[in-house]
Amino acid sequence: MHEFAVSVLHNETLLFRHISEKGMYLGSVFGILAVIPVAAFRNVENRKPQRMLQLLGTSALGGILFALGMGLFKVSKISQDEMTDAMQDRAYRLHYNEGQNHVDKLSRIGMVGGGLAALFMTPGPHSARSMLGGAALGSACGVFTHMLSKKNE
């Protein structure tokens, strides 16, 4: 296990990237299942594709910030003596978990594809938030694809 650890910084980066991605998944799925339907029901303007992407982008950003906040809170509860080993252990398990690597790969492909599609489909002053919304939609599609394609265990 010890030969895996490149450095403490590498392990922390891997862990917080994972936390950020999980926040993106959380915000994306929550946005698709709750934010967009409620907003579309409340206001007809929210039914436009660009507006839906903006709402989804905001939801994804909220998920990322929430997950990072929770991650920082959890890490703050670990003593300094245990920090290096705890980070190394978690980074090692993330690195070698095939299921996690599969969902991350599909989600990242979806993020890039969805973000680029949104960029070209929704030019304008809100294109950055729309692009984040497209990336969030792609991320959620990657997670759903993983759930549909994973082997029965």
Side-chain angles (χ1 to χ4, degrees), residues 36 44-57 118 121-122 129-131 133-134 137:
I36 289 177
V44 75
E45 287 295 313
N46 291 332
R47 296 179 189 164
K48 294 179 180 177
Q50 184 170 355
R51 182 67 182 136
M52 287 185 187
L53 288 175
Q54 292 169 358
L55 291 167
L56 192 53
M121 292 173 60
T122 59
R129 198 162 42 139
S130 296
M131 189 173 161
L137 182 58

Side-chain angles (χ1 to χ4, degrees), residues 55-69:
L55 291 167
L56 192 53
T58 301
S59 180
L61 183 59
I64 292 168
L65 294 174
F66 175 77
L68 285 172

Side-chain angles (χ1 to χ4, degrees), residues 85-96:
D85 289 338
M87 289 283 192
Q88 180 180 1
D89 178 61
R90 187 67 182 130
Y92 178 87
R93 288 186 285 132
L94 285 171
H95 184 75
Y96 289 107

